[in-house]
Amino acid sequence: MIKKVIDNGKKGVRYNLVLNERAQLVLHSIIENYIQSSEPIGSRTLSKTIGITLSPATIRNIMSDLAELGYLIQNHTSAGRVPTDKAYRFYVNSLASPPSIPQQIKEKISQVSNEQGSQVEAILAEAVRMLAELTKFACVVSTPKAAVSRLQRIELIKISEDRILVILVTKAGVVRDKIIFTKDSQSQEFLNSVAEFLNDKFKNHSMQEIREEIHESMVDDRNRYHDLLAHAIRLGKKAFELNQPGEMLIDGQMNLLLDSHFHEQSSVRSLIDAFDQKSAIMKILDDSMKYKGVHIFIGIENDLKQLQGCSLITASYRNNQNVLGSIGVVGPTSMDYKRIISMVDYTAKILSKTITEQSYD
Amino acid sequence: MIKKVIDNGKKGVRYNLVLNERAQLVLHSIIENYIQSSEPIGSRTLSKTIGITLSPATIRNIMSDLAELGYLIQNHTSAGRVPTDKAYRFYVNSLASPPSIPQQIKEKISQVSNEQGSQVEAILAEAVRMLAELTKFACVVSTPKAAVSRLQRIELIKISEDRILVILVTKAGVVRDKIIFTKDSQSQEFLNSVAEFLNDKFKNHSMQEIREEIHESMVDDRNRYHDLLAHAIRLGKKAFELNQPGEMLIDGQMNLLLDSHFHEQSSVRSLIDAFDQKSAIMKILDDSMKYKGVHIFIGIENDLKQLQGCSLITASYRNNQNVLGSIGVVGPTSMDYKRIISMVDYTAKILSKTITEQSYD
DNA sequence: TATTAGCACTAACCCTCACTGAGTGCTAAT
DNA sequence: ATTAGCACTCAGTGAGGGTTAGTGCTAATA
């Protein structure tokens, strides 16, 4: 029996991993039906909606084989079948590069770039909000990695006897501020010199590099006797210390709770915890920065237990220089991949465009 | 019959609005029971838990009277009774000033002030997160009102030919940054003079005042011919324009969705919308800044439809100079008022203390 | 040999119905 | 003024039965 389905024409090869065309069509059809209805698909309904004419019995045979190969499961004997993660993986792999997207949606997403003149964070917040609204799922975006972002400008401002305000502007247009405390009060003029020194030395260097270079300077004893230098190093150390714990913006978590797929399951609680902790999801986003274009994590593929039953669709955004971060959608594994993929893809593109225009290169 | 309950001892006064002592005790007991169990309270169960010995029948009579006076309602004939908003109002009014609070909780909340050296926003974020975690409800906090906060320092930094970074530091320690675009490029030296001028003129003035003064200056024609002044006014206008739309931080919305009280009702959706819009809740928070100490809005008392079924417990926080904002908890009307009130109260106090230490006065 | 029709079987779902238990209001007794 | 007793209400539970959408298997058919 199995031979029928898996045999790709060549006799003798019994366990061919490639599905024959008809099996593929059936599987495809089951998945698309299930995405629409969220209900187990039976042989009869399928025989109606599927393009070619196949009797329910034939379809049953095929389905039985697909089940054996791990693409479908049955919740109980007399129920229709439901796609597994493996099936979704097959499905998204079979999709061509990001499907087209309605003009209307395009325009909506493009509004993100109206945030012109706002800072990067505001743009990201708007993008993630918009995406959550459109997809009706939870959306996340990682802010530009501090480590890789390059310095455009540092500014030191004395705001009281013992406090100095540090302003960092990166090439990507991110502004960070932080207050540092000092024991010995310096004049603003002196701080200006220090800032000028730091600007000269570190402009265009990445934060990571800067931290390393400062660390080296500290080890070098000679610097101790140079007043300006010594102060610059001490202040610089504190200033660049702002180890932004790689921020992440979230929107639309609520959508997940209201989504019927999760409503039933008791997994909601743990899903929320996952969002609260951020770190785990952050890690996945970071991961996805490696990939070009849209990347998809399906259910069990992400090793985070709480995200079983969820798929994550991500796309990285960038400026001229670097990949900066990643934006993504978290939804049930049975989400409408075509729709969501195209939206994520397009949003990331708009994001890249908008941020590139804002950058200082 | 009614006479019995409402008659406070004096015969003849038939509709006295003050409940006699026993009726008060019964009502009190019903409310506390209901807060614990979230289930309609019947006469028999009550007769067991209430301190004094009263037969179910007697209690039924009293309850019937309380219902007639609007303190209780019955969902259906054969069900126990449930407190109304009016009852909760009676209840919280009868509570003495904020009840004491376990040492353990105190210590937990006090951790908020460990955020020392962070900026005000980080402290607020931490406070609201903590409060959400402790109360298991949704929590909100309004950031210091831009309009009333006083200028400590303004800084103008040229970061590219057509962009100027504006940094505002308020007395309360809030740092705001914004990028403004200019057509004619100015040197950093010139910007420094402008900033100095603005600092001299506006230090310690509130944002609101500054905006007004700038507006007046613009009307005054003479200023047109003074180069520095003219630029200062133009740049100042843009800089102080950042009409921060009175920000608000939210945490723990999820808690509400998971709360059984809301889970049943279909009102969840609209409740979420209320949080998404922010503006309405913001208004309530602003309102609450008028009151000293803890203030409580019960169900129908806040005219926001979506918040029917919710109570809001707020307390304002301040520095030496001004009331800055308000922190609050949103939960079901049947929440444990004693517990929540004390937490909100204590959190606001810690918040005030921490922020006062950070302020520049 | 591949496909299909037919049949027996399953399990979820829905409806109804009777029973139970917590509650009430009223009346009469204390 | 309080309480005991009684009749009544209604949500909730669980059992029984019919319906429906599905399955697997076997035998007939193209």
mmCIF file of all heavy atoms in Angstrom, chain C residues 12-24:
data_model
loop_
_atom_site.group_PDB
_atom_site.id
_atom_site.type_symbol
_atom_site.label_atom_id
_atom_site.label_comp_id
_atom_site.label_asym_id
_atom_site.label_seq_id
_atom_site.Cartn_x
_atom_site.Cartn_y
_atom_site.Cartn_z
ATOM 1 P P DA C 12 -14.574 10.956 21.292
ATOM 2 O OP1 DA C 12 -13.123 11.163 21.407
ATOM 3 O OP2 DA C 12 -15.327 10.307 22.382
ATOM 4 O "O5'" DA C 12 -15.246 12.355 20.936
ATOM 5 C "C5'" DA C 12 -14.769 13.054 19.788
ATOM 6 C "C4'" DA C 12 -15.914 13.801 19.140
ATOM 7 O "O4'" DA C 12 -16.945 12.862 18.742
ATOM 8 C "C3'" DA C 12 -16.595 14.811 20.066
ATOM 9 O "O3'" DA C 12 -16.669 16.043 19.373
ATOM 10 C "C2'" DA C 12 -17.971 14.213 20.338
ATOM 11 C "C1'" DA C 12 -18.205 13.398 19.083
ATOM 12 N N9 DA C 12 -19.109 12.269 19.238
ATOM 13 C C8 DA C 12 -18.964 11.194 20.073
ATOM 14 N N7 DA C 12 -19.941 10.308 19.977
ATOM 15 C C5 DA C 12 -20.773 10.845 19.021
ATOM 16 C C6 DA C 12 -21.996 10.402 18.474
ATOM 17 N N6 DA C 12 -22.582 9.254 18.822
ATOM 18 N N1 DA C 12 -22.570 11.176 17.533
ATOM 19 C C2 DA C 12 -21.976 12.323 17.186
ATOM 20 N N3 DA C 12 -20.841 12.845 17.618
ATOM 21 C C4 DA C 12 -20.282 12.049 18.549
ATOM 22 P P DC C 13 -17.006 17.366 20.205
ATOM 23 O OP1 DC C 13 -16.263 18.462 19.559
ATOM 24 O OP2 DC C 13 -16.889 17.105 21.646
ATOM 25 O "O5'" DC C 13 -18.554 17.536 19.833
ATOM 26 C "C5'" DC C 13 -18.950 17.502 18.470
ATOM 27 C "C4'" DC C 13 -20.470 17.498 18.412
ATOM 28 O "O4'" DC C 13 -20.960 16.159 18.636
ATOM 29 C "C3'" DC C 13 -21.129 18.375 19.483
ATOM 30 O "O3'" DC C 13 -22.010 19.276 18.839
ATOM 31 C "C2'" DC C 13 -21.853 17.388 20.375
ATOM 32 C "C1'" DC C 13 -22.134 16.255 19.409
ATOM 33 N N1 DC C 13 -22.367 14.923 20.040
ATOM 34 C C2 DC C 13 -23.479 14.186 19.626
ATOM 35 O O2 DC C 13 -24.218 14.650 18.761
ATOM 36 N N3 DC C 13 -23.716 12.975 20.195
ATOM 37 C C4 DC C 13 -22.879 12.501 21.138
ATOM 38 N N4 DC C 13 -23.148 11.295 21.657
ATOM 39 C C5 DC C 13 -21.746 13.238 21.557
ATOM 40 C C6 DC C 13 -21.520 14.435 20.997
ATOM 41 P P DC C 14 -22.593 20.521 19.630
ATOM 42 O OP1 DC C 14 -22.386 21.724 18.813
ATOM 43 O OP2 DC C 14 -22.126 20.478 21.037
ATOM 44 O "O5'" DC C 14 -24.134 20.158 19.614
ATOM 45 C "C5'" DC C 14 -24.692 19.493 18.481
ATOM 46 C "C4'" DC C 14 -26.056 18.947 18.854
ATOM 47 O "O4'" DC C 14 -25.915 17.607 19.399
ATOM 48 C "C3'" DC C 14 -26.769 19.770 19.930
ATOM 49 O "O3'" DC C 14 -28.116 19.941 19.553
ATOM 50 C "C2'" DC C 14 -26.635 18.926 21.181
ATOM 51 C "C1'" DC C 14 -26.668 17.522 20.586
ATOM 52 N N1 DC C 14 -26.058 16.484 21.456
ATOM 53 C C2 DC C 14 -26.688 15.238 21.568
ATOM 54 O O2 DC C 14 -27.724 15.034 20.934
ATOM 55 N N3 DC C 14 -26.140 14.288 22.364
ATOM 56 C C4 DC C 14 -25.007 14.544 23.026
ATOM 57 N N4 DC C 14 -24.511 13.582 23.792
ATOM 58 C C5 DC C 14 -24.358 15.816 22.939
ATOM 59 C C6 DC C 14 -24.904 16.750 22.146
ATOM 60 P P DC C 15 -28.934 21.122 20.265
ATOM 61 O OP1 DC C 15 -29.265 22.113 19.229
ATOM 62 O OP2 DC C 15 -28.263 21.535 21.519
ATOM 63 O "O5'" DC C 15 -30.265 20.365 20.674
ATOM 64 C "C5'" DC C 15 -30.768 19.307 19.860
ATOM 65 C "C4'" DC C 15 -31.486 18.320 20.734
ATOM 66 O "O4'" DC C 15 -30.518 17.432 21.345
ATOM 67 C "C3'" DC C 15 -32.250 18.978 21.894
ATOM 68 O "O3'" DC C 15 -33.647 18.786 21.695
ATOM 69 C "C2'" DC C 15 -31.744 18.269 23.149
ATOM 70 C "C1'" DC C 15 -31.018 17.043 22.605
ATOM 71 N N1 DC C 15 -29.858 16.632 23.433
ATOM 72 C C2 DC C 15 -29.831 15.337 23.969
ATOM 73 O O2 DC C 15 -30.783 14.566 23.748
ATOM 74 N N3 DC C 15 -28.757 14.954 24.732
ATOM 75 C C4 DC C 15 -27.765 15.806 24.949
ATOM 76 N N4 DC C 15 -26.746 15.392 25.693
ATOM 77 C C5 DC C 15 -27.776 17.140 24.421
ATOM 78 C C6 DC C 15 -28.831 17.512 23.673
ATOM 79 P P DT C 16 -34.662 19.491 22.679
ATOM 80 O OP1 DT C 16 -35.863 19.798 21.873
ATOM 81 O OP2 DT C 16 -33.979 20.548 23.443
ATOM 82 O "O5'" DT C 16 -35.007 18.312 23.684
ATOM 83 C "C5'" DT C 16 -35.250 17.014 23.165
ATOM 84 C "C4'" DT C 16 -35.312 16.017 24.303
ATOM 85 O "O4'" DT C 16 -33.982 15.726 24.802
ATOM 86 C "C3'" DT C 16 -36.111 16.516 25.517
ATOM 87 O "O3'" DT C 16 -37.074 15.538 25.848
ATOM 88 C "C2'" DT C 16 -35.063 16.696 26.605
ATOM 89 C "C1'" DT C 16 -34.023 15.670 26.207
ATOM 90 N N1 DT C 16 -32.637 15.921 26.687
ATOM 91 C C2 DT C 16 -31.965 14.898 27.320
ATOM 92 O O2 DT C 16 -32.438 13.784 27.511
ATOM 93 N N3 DT C 16 -30.687 15.213 27.718
ATOM 94 C C4 DT C 16 -30.040 16.434 27.561
ATOM 95 O O4 DT C 16 -28.898 16.602 27.961
ATOM 96 C C5 DT C 16 -30.816 17.462 26.912
ATOM 97 C C7 DT C 16 -30.215 18.830 26.700
ATOM 98 C C6 DT C 16 -32.066 17.166 26.495
ATOM 99 P P DC C 17 -38.317 15.879 26.823
ATOM 100 O OP1 DC C 17 -39.540 15.323 26.198
ATOM 101 O OP2 DC C 17 -38.255 17.305 27.198
ATOM 102 O "O5'" DC C 17 -37.965 15.003 28.102
ATOM 103 C "C5'" DC C 17 -37.329 13.732 27.940
ATOM 104 C "C4'" DC C 17 -36.774 13.308 29.281
ATOM 105 O "O4'" DC C 17 -35.389 13.724 29.401
ATOM 106 C "C3'" DC C 17 -37.510 13.952 30.467
ATOM 107 O "O3'" DC C 17 -37.806 12.973 31.443
ATOM 108 C "C2'" DC C 17 -36.532 14.994 30.971
ATOM 109 C "C1'" DC C 17 -35.197 14.322 30.654
ATOM 110 N N1 DC C 17 -34.053 15.261 30.553
ATOM 111 C C2 DC C 17 -32.791 14.868 31.011
ATOM 112 O O2 DC C 17 -32.651 13.736 31.475
ATOM 113 N N3 DC C 17 -31.770 15.745 30.916
ATOM 114 C C4 DC C 17 -31.957 16.965 30.413
ATOM 115 N N4 DC C 17 -30.917 17.785 30.333
ATOM 116 C C5 DC C 17 -33.235 17.384 29.950
ATOM 117 C C6 DC C 17 -34.248 16.515 30.037
ATOM 118 P P DA C 18 -38.939 13.276 32.501
ATOM 119 O OP1 DA C 18 -40.168 12.554 32.106
ATOM 120 O OP2 DA C 18 -38.989 14.737 32.745
ATOM 121 O "O5'" DA C 18 -38.310 12.566 33.769
ATOM 122 C "C5'" DA C 18 -37.370 11.501 33.605
ATOM 123 C "C4'" DA C 18 -36.310 11.614 34.675
ATOM 124 O "O4'" DA C 18 -35.302 12.597 34.279
ATOM 125 C "C3'" DA C 18 -36.833 12.084 36.032
ATOM 126 O "O3'" DA C 18 -36.306 11.245 37.040
ATOM 127 C "C2'" DA C 18 -36.339 13.526 36.149
ATOM 128 C "C1'" DA C 18 -35.034 13.450 35.372
ATOM 129 N N9 DA C 18 -34.555 14.718 34.821
ATOM 130 C C8 DA C 18 -35.298 15.676 34.168
ATOM 131 N N7 DA C 18 -34.593 16.711 33.780
ATOM 132 C C5 DA C 18 -33.310 16.423 34.200
ATOM 133 C C6 DA C 18 -32.096 17.126 34.091
ATOM 134 N N6 DA C 18 -31.994 18.312 33.495
ATOM 135 N N1 DA C 18 -31.003 16.551 34.626
ATOM 136 C C2 DA C 18 -31.115 15.364 35.230
ATOM 137 N N3 DA C 18 -32.193 14.607 35.377
ATOM 138 C C4 DA C 18 -33.274 15.200 34.842
ATOM 139 P P DC C 19 -36.755 11.413 38.534
ATOM 140 O OP1 DC C 19 -37.002 10.070 39.066
ATOM 141 O OP2 DC C 19 -37.780 12.478 38.633
ATOM 142 O "O5'" DC C 19 -35.391 11.945 39.162
ATOM 143 C "C5'" DC C 19 -34.177 11.288 38.800
ATOM 144 C "C4'" DC C 19 -33.035 11.999 39.478
ATOM 145 O "O4'" DC C 19 -32.691 13.191 38.722
ATOM 146 C "C3'" DC C 19 -33.350 12.465 40.903
ATOM 147 O "O3'" DC C 19 -32.265 12.134 41.744
ATOM 148 C "C2'" DC C 19 -33.543 13.968 40.754
ATOM 149 C "C1'" DC C 19 -32.611 14.289 39.590
ATOM 150 N N1 DC C 19 -32.985 15.511 38.817
ATOM 151 C C2 DC C 19 -31.981 16.433 38.495
ATOM 152 O O2 DC C 19 -30.824 16.206 38.868
ATOM 153 N N3 DC C 19 -32.314 17.539 37.792
ATOM 154 C C4 DC C 19 -33.573 17.734 37.407
ATOM 155 N N4 DC C 19 -33.837 18.845 36.717
ATOM 156 C C5 DC C 19 -34.602 16.809 37.718
ATOM 157 C C6 DC C 19 -34.283 15.728 38.425
ATOM 158 P P DT C 20 -32.402 12.338 43.313
ATOM 159 O OP1 DT C 20 -31.871 11.129 43.969
ATOM 160 O OP2 DT C 20 -33.750 12.851 43.641
ATOM 161 O "O5'" DT C 20 -31.339 13.523 43.553
ATOM 162 C "C5'" DT C 20 -30.075 13.475 42.892
ATOM 163 C "C4'" DT C 20 -29.360 14.782 43.132
ATOM 164 O "O4'" DT C 20 -29.848 15.783 42.211
ATOM 165 C "C3'" DT C 20 -29.543 15.349 44.541
ATOM 166 O "O3'" DT C 20 -28.282 15.723 45.047
ATOM 167 C "C2'" DT C 20 -30.467 16.540 44.327
ATOM 168 C "C1'" DT C 20 -30.078 16.986 42.919
ATOM 169 N N1 DT C 20 -31.108 17.748 42.190
ATOM 170 C C2 DT C 20 -30.726 18.882 41.527
ATOM 171 O O2 DT C 20 -29.581 19.292 41.513
ATOM 172 N N3 DT C 20 -31.744 19.517 40.859
ATOM 173 C C4 DT C 20 -33.074 19.149 40.800
ATOM 174 O O4 DT C 20 -33.878 19.807 40.173
ATOM 175 C C5 DT C 20 -33.407 17.950 41.530
ATOM 176 C C7 DT C 20 -34.830 17.464 41.542
ATOM 177 C C6 DT C 20 -32.430 17.306 42.183
ATOM 178 P P DG C 21 -28.112 16.005 46.590
ATOM 179 O OP1 DG C 21 -27.104 15.064 47.104
ATOM 180 O OP2 DG C 21 -29.459 16.082 47.205
ATOM 181 O "O5'" DG C 21 -27.507 17.467 46.596
ATOM 182 C "C5'" DG C 21 -26.879 18.003 45.437
ATOM 183 C "C4'" DG C 21 -26.874 19.509 45.552
ATOM 184 O "O4'" DG C 21 -28.009 20.056 44.823
ATOM 185 C "C3'" DG C 21 -27.028 20.029 46.974
ATOM 186 O "O3'" DG C 21 -26.278 21.224 47.089
ATOM 187 C "C2'" DG C 21 -28.522 20.308 47.094
ATOM 188 C "C1'" DG C 21 -28.817 20.808 45.700
ATOM 189 N N9 DG C 21 -30.191 20.628 45.273
ATOM 190 C C8 DG C 21 -31.085 19.661 45.679
ATOM 191 N N7 DG C 21 -32.250 19.769 45.105
ATOM 192 C C5 DG C 21 -32.116 20.869 44.263
ATOM 193 C C6 DG C 21 -33.048 21.466 43.383
ATOM 194 O O6 DG C 21 -34.209 21.130 43.162
ATOM 195 N N1 DG C 21 -32.495 22.563 42.721
ATOM 196 C C2 DG C 21 -31.212 23.017 42.892
ATOM 197 N N2 DG C 21 -30.870 24.076 42.172
ATOM 198 N N3 DG C 21 -30.335 22.463 43.714
ATOM 199 C C4 DG C 21 -30.856 21.404 44.357
ATOM 200 P P DA C 22 -25.820 21.706 48.526
ATOM 201 O OP1 DA C 22 -24.402 21.352 48.703
ATOM 202 O OP2 DA C 22 -26.838 21.274 49.518
ATOM 203 O "O5'" DA C 22 -25.924 23.279 48.352
ATOM 204 C "C5'" DA C 22 -25.444 23.878 47.149
ATOM 205 C "C4'" DA C 22 -26.268 25.106 46.876
ATOM 206 O "O4'" DA C 22 -27.562 24.692 46.370
ATOM 207 C "C3'" DA C 22 -26.552 25.933 48.136
ATOM 208 O "O3'" DA C 22 -26.228 27.290 47.894
ATOM 209 C "C2'" DA C 22 -28.033 25.758 48.387
ATOM 210 C "C1'" DA C 22 -28.558 25.469 46.994
ATOM 211 N N9 DA C 22 -29.796 24.703 46.973
ATOM 212 C C8 DA C 22 -30.092 23.586 47.689
ATOM 213 N N7 DA C 22 -31.299 23.112 47.468
ATOM 214 C C5 DA C 22 -31.825 23.980 46.531
ATOM 215 C C6 DA C 22 -33.070 24.031 45.874
ATOM 216 N N6 DA C 22 -34.036 23.144 46.080
ATOM 217 N N1 DA C 22 -33.266 25.030 44.994
ATOM 218 C C2 DA C 22 -32.294 25.922 44.802
ATOM 219 N N3 DA C 22 -31.079 25.972 45.349
ATOM 220 C C4 DA C 22 -30.901 24.967 46.212
ATOM 221 P P DG C 23 -26.241 28.271 49.116
ATOM 222 O OP1 DG C 23 -25.184 29.246 48.854
ATOM 223 O OP2 DG C 23 -26.287 27.531 50.385
ATOM 224 O "O5'" DG C 23 -27.658 28.978 48.935
ATOM 225 C "C5'" DG C 23 -27.805 29.879 47.864
ATOM 226 C "C4'" DG C 23 -29.251 30.016 47.498
ATOM 227 O "O4'" DG C 23 -29.861 28.724 47.291
ATOM 228 C "C3'" DG C 23 -30.175 30.605 48.572
ATOM 229 O "O3'" DG C 23 -30.056 32.021 48.593
ATOM 230 C "C2'" DG C 23 -31.540 30.223 48.032
ATOM 231 C "C1'" DG C 23 -31.256 28.941 47.261
ATOM 232 N N9 DG C 23 -31.949 27.824 47.871
ATOM 233 C C8 DG C 23 -31.472 26.927 48.790
ATOM 234 N N7 DG C 23 -32.367 26.037 49.144
ATOM 235 C C5 DG C 23 -33.491 26.376 48.409
ATOM 236 C C6 DG C 23 -34.773 25.777 48.364
ATOM 237 O O6 DG C 23 -35.187 24.791 48.996
ATOM 238 N N1 DG C 23 -35.626 26.445 47.485
ATOM 239 C C2 DG C 23 -35.268 27.550 46.742
ATOM 240 N N2 DG C 23 -36.220 28.055 45.959
ATOM 241 N N3 DG C 23 -34.074 28.113 46.763
ATOM 242 C C4 DG C 23 -33.241 27.475 47.615
ATOM 243 P P DT C 24 -30.858 32.790 49.727
ATOM 244 O OP1 DT C 24 -30.266 34.141 49.764
ATOM 245 O OP2 DT C 24 -30.932 31.977 50.945
ATOM 246 O "O5'" DT C 24 -32.334 32.893 49.136
ATOM 247 C "C5'" DT C 24 -32.560 33.592 47.912
ATOM 248 C "C4'" DT C 24 -34.018 33.394 47.515
ATOM 249 O "O4'" DT C 24 -34.301 31.975 47.527
ATOM 250 C "C3'" DT C 24 -35.002 34.016 48.484
ATOM 251 O "O3'" DT C 24 -35.517 35.215 47.923
ATOM 252 C "C2'" DT C 24 -36.102 32.993 48.685
ATOM 253 C "C1'" DT C 24 -35.626 31.753 47.953
ATOM 254 N N1 DT C 24 -35.610 30.560 48.830
ATOM 255 C C2 DT C 24 -36.737 29.783 48.888
ATOM 256 O O2 DT C 24 -37.749 30.019 48.256
ATOM 257 N N3 DT C 24 -36.647 28.699 49.734
ATOM 258 C C4 DT C 24 -35.556 28.331 50.496
ATOM 259 O O4 DT C 24 -35.598 27.346 51.217
ATOM 260 C C5 DT C 24 -34.413 29.199 50.381
ATOM 261 C C7 DT C 24 -33.171 28.910 51.158
ATOM 262 C C6 DT C 24 -34.476 30.270 49.570
#
